[in-house]
């Protein structure tokens, strides 16, 4: 995605950039990226992530839309198409614009037992 002066948003952030998506799914669809090249989130230094968070919030509020999605994909299986960490802020002004998800199709939930959840929490905690 090319960034031009006309699509850049001035956020006053030191370590990140925000610019309008050139293929938006709704008005105000914006990308926020760290000024550090990393393909996935795990490779971004924490100080850049600390800078990105407030920018995402400012941009989301600046869309003027009450409902919105924040999307960040890591890896091909997770639908990452650009090899640079980026966050999509996607305003959802109505049912036809913005990100369109079907909870049954796009969020296949399954019941987890408490012992399974406890084992997963322990496994993840040991990796932190």
């Amino acid at each position: 995605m090319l960034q031009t002066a006309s699509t850049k948003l001035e956020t006053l952030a030191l370590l990140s950039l925000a610019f309008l998506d050139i293929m938006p799914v709704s008005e105000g669809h914006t990308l926020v990226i760290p000024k550090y090249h990393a393909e996935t989130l795990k490779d971004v230094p924490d100080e850049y992530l600390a800078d990105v968070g407030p920018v995402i919030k400012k941009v989301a509020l600046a869309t003027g839309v009450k409902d919105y999605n924040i999307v960040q994909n890591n890896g091909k299986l997770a639908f990452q198409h650009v090899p640079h960490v980026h966050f999509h802020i996607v305003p959802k002004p109505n049912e036809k614009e913005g990100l369109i998800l079907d909870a049954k199709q796009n969020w296949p939930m399954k019941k987890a037992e408490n012992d399974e959840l406890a084992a997963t929490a322990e496994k993840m905690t040991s990796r932190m």
Side-chain angles (χ1 to χ4, degrees):
M1 308 250 162
L2 292 176
Q3 174 196 345
T4 65
S6 62
T7 65
K8 183 179 176 187
L9 302 178
E10 188 54 61
T11 64
L12 304 178
L14 298 175
L15 303 176
S16 54
L17 295 171
F19 51 93
L20 295 174
D21 193 305
I22 62 170
M23 299 286 287
V25 296
S26 59
E27 182 181 17
H29 179 173
T30 303
L31 299 177
V32 175
I33 65 169
K35 291 181 183 179
Y36 179 92
H37 177 65
E39 190 166 324
T40 63
L41 192 65
K42 70 177 175 53
D43 300 317
V44 180
D46 289 347
E47 63 267 22
Y48 287 84
L49 293 175
D51 192 74
V52 164
V55 173
I56 291 170
K57 179 180 176 182
K58 285 179 187 177
V59 169
L61 296 174
T63 67
V65 175
K66 177 184 170 222
D67 299 320
Y68 53 87
N69 296 93
I70 308 296
V71 181
Q72 199 280 317
N73 302 323
N74 289 274
K76 289 183 182 189
L77 287 176
F79 301 102
Q80 182 180 10
H81 299 292
V82 177
H84 184 91
V85 170
H86 58 286
F87 297 81
H88 289 264
I89 294 84
V90 184
K92 185 72 175 157
N94 56 57
E95 291 184 12
K96 295 186 183 212
E97 294 179 79
L99 195 58
I100 299 177
L101 297 173
D102 177 305
K104 290 179 183 175
Q105 183 177 0
N106 301 108
W107 204 281
M109 294 181 278
K110 60 182 180 176
K111 176 70 175 136
E113 299 299 325
N114 284 341
D115 58 335
E116 292 176 279
L117 295 172
T120 298
E122 185 177 323
K123 185 171 38 177
M124 291 174 65
T125 299
S126 73
R127 293 176 183 157
M128 287 189 207

